[in-house]
Amino acid sequence: MSNSEETLTPEQLERIERNRQRALQLRASSTKIYESQHQITTTSAPTRKQQIDSHAGFFLDEDSTSIDNRPVVYETIPIIHQTKPDQLDVLGMPCNECQLIFLTSFLYTHFDESICDTCREKYSINDEKDDVDDEETIRYSLITRTLAKDKYLLTDYDLDKREPKLKCIEKKNPHNQRWGVMRLYLRYQIQRLSSEIHEGKTEEKLIEREEKKAEKKRKKYEKQIEQLRLDVRSSLQTKRIKTVHEHTYDEKNTTYDEDTDMYTKTCLECGYQYQYEEM
């Protein structure tokens, strides 16, 4: 193993080898197409030698001998990978969506996803307008941390510590630069992580959570209505109690009527006169 490969992790070496094999397969398929299109089978004209596109700016004859009849030996030179893991090899890599070869892209640089910039623009929208029903059409757009937790039922542990750790882009908060740093995640990776954690039942759990919220809100409303009824009843009862008046008489100002032989005393509060006869 070379010194440049010792700095790479096993996962990176495996990904690079997989990309190299796919690139070689694409090269072989293009060679077969060229051979089928340029093969000449006429009998009257002299036969031309079959040429193979080397994809290096020149063609190779199918005959394995050179002009002086010495055999031509082709050596397979291994690809020397870059020492930095974020640099691609000279062959590039195929996009996982369109299968076209690209050298670098925004999603590969920041999120380690083999997606070219053309496909990223095709499957992404402005993240502030998150009202698209089909999320597959916006899978390569960016999503905020708060929205990832609320819409995909993820926790801080899932976003920060769960292996393999998610990559994110840190930016200053556009609403207020004094607030904390805003972290943006790739929606495709968030969807994949949520599907793994909730076993593909994220939508069902979201509906269940909304139903629980609605039920909790309904119970709170009914409790407020019941409390309002109790308050009204209590105020009416207090009013009834206050309407029951107890007379307070001035015993010193009692008057006596000799014609009727009756005594009269007057309430100090309402002026009611109470007549009585002493036995």
Side-chain angles (χ1 to χ4, degrees):
M1 183 180 295
S2 63
N3 294 332
S4 60
E5 294 181 347
E6 291 180 355
T7 60
L8 302 178
T9 63
E11 292 79 4
Q12 293 171 344
L13 291 175
E14 182 181 354
R15 184 179 67 252
I16 292 173
E17 179 61 24
R18 183 171 62 252
N19 294 331
R20 187 178 71 85
Q21 293 297 334
R22 294 176 66 179
L24 292 176
Q25 291 178 1
L26 290 175
R27 175 188 291 181
S29 62
S30 62
T31 301
K32 292 180 180 179
I33 294 174
Y34 180 84
E35 292 177 355
S36 61
Q37 292 179 350
H38 295 80
Q39 187 176 6
I40 301 175
T41 59
T42 57
T43 57
S44 59
T47 304
R48 296 179 59 186
K49 290 184 178 181
Q50 183 69 31
Q51 290 183 330
I52 302 175
D53 189 1
S54 66
H55 295 273
F58 58 91
F59 293 91
L60 299 176
D61 292 334
E62 189 179 19
D63 190 2
S64 60
T65 59
S66 61
I67 299 176
D68 54 359
N69 294 324
R70 289 186 299 175
V72 178
V73 180
Y74 299 98
E75 291 186 8
T76 302
I77 302 176
I79 298 175
I80 300 177
H81 299 280
Q82 303 291 338
T83 57
K84 295 182 180 180
D86 59 344
Q87 293 180 352
L88 301 177
D89 54 56
V90 294
L91 289 179
M93 66 171 53
C95 174
N96 291 339
E97 289 289 340
C98 62
Q99 303 302 321
L100 295 178
I101 304 297
F102 69 96
L103 293 178
T104 185
S105 68
F106 176 83
L107 295 183
Y108 183 83
T109 301
H110 295 282
F111 298 99
D112 202 17
E113 290 289 343
S114 299
I115 303 297
C116 64
D117 291 332
T118 303
C119 292
R120 170 180 173 261
E121 295 177 359
K122 180 180 178 181
Y123 295 103
S124 63
I125 61 170
N126 186 359
D127 296 279
E128 296 179 355
K129 301 178 180 180
D130 191 50
D131 55 355
V132 180
D133 295 333
D134 187 7
E135 295 188 359
E136 288 297 321
T137 60
I138 58 173
R139 55 183 177 271
Y140 296 131
S141 58
L142 301 183
I143 183 174
T144 61
R145 183 184 182 90
T146 303
L147 189 59
K149 294 168 61 176
D150 182 66
K151 191 171 184 178
Y152 296 97
L153 304 178
L154 298 178
T155 62
D156 292 330
Y157 174 82
D158 298 330
L159 297 175
D160 297 333
K161 298 182 179 180
R162 184 179 293 274
E163 296 293 341
K165 294 183 179 180
L166 292 176
K167 292 187 176 182
C168 66
I169 299 177
E170 293 185 351
K171 290 186 176 181
K172 293 183 179 180
N173 198 303
H175 304 287
N176 192 337
Q177 294 185 358
R178 296 181 180 179
W179 294 349
V181 177
M182 182 177 64
R183 297 180 181 179
L184 299 176
Y185 297 85
L186 182 60
R187 187 186 297 267
Y188 174 74
Q189 294 180 347
I190 292 293
Q191 292 173 346
R192 182 173 57 193
L193 178 61
S194 177
S195 179
E196 292 176 358
I197 294 176
H198 301 292
E199 298 178 353
K201 298 181 180 179
T202 305
E203 293 296 332
E204 290 81 351
K205 291 187 177 182
L206 277 174
I207 295 175
E208 182 180 355
R209 186 186 66 175
E210 293 300 325
E211 291 177 352
K212 288 182 179 179
K213 285 184 177 180
E215 181 67 18
K216 185 177 180 180
K217 186 181 294 185
R218 184 185 64 82
K219 290 183 179 180
K220 183 179 180 180
Y221 175 76
E222 291 180 352
K223 187 176 180 179
Q224 292 176 348
I225 294 297
E226 185 65 24
Q227 185 64 37
L228 182 61
R229 291 175 181 173
L230 292 176
D231 294 340
V232 172
R233 291 176 183 176
S234 177
S235 62
L236 291 177
Q237 186 68 20
T238 303
K239 187 175 181 180
R240 289 196 191 101
I241 294 174
K242 290 183 178 180
T243 54
V244 178
H245 175 64
E246 294 182 1
H247 299 293
T248 302
Y249 300 103
D250 186 4
E251 300 293 342
K252 295 182 180 181
N253 295 327
T254 303
T255 60
Y256 174 70
D257 189 358
E258 295 181 353
D259 296 336
T260 59
D261 193 23
M262 299 290 290
Y263 290 89
T264 303
K265 55 184 179 180
T266 305
C267 177
L268 297 176
E269 295 182 2
C270 63
Y272 173 76
Q273 293 184 345
Y274 174 67
Q275 295 180 347
Y276 62 94
E277 180 182 3
E278 288 186 354
M279 300 299 292

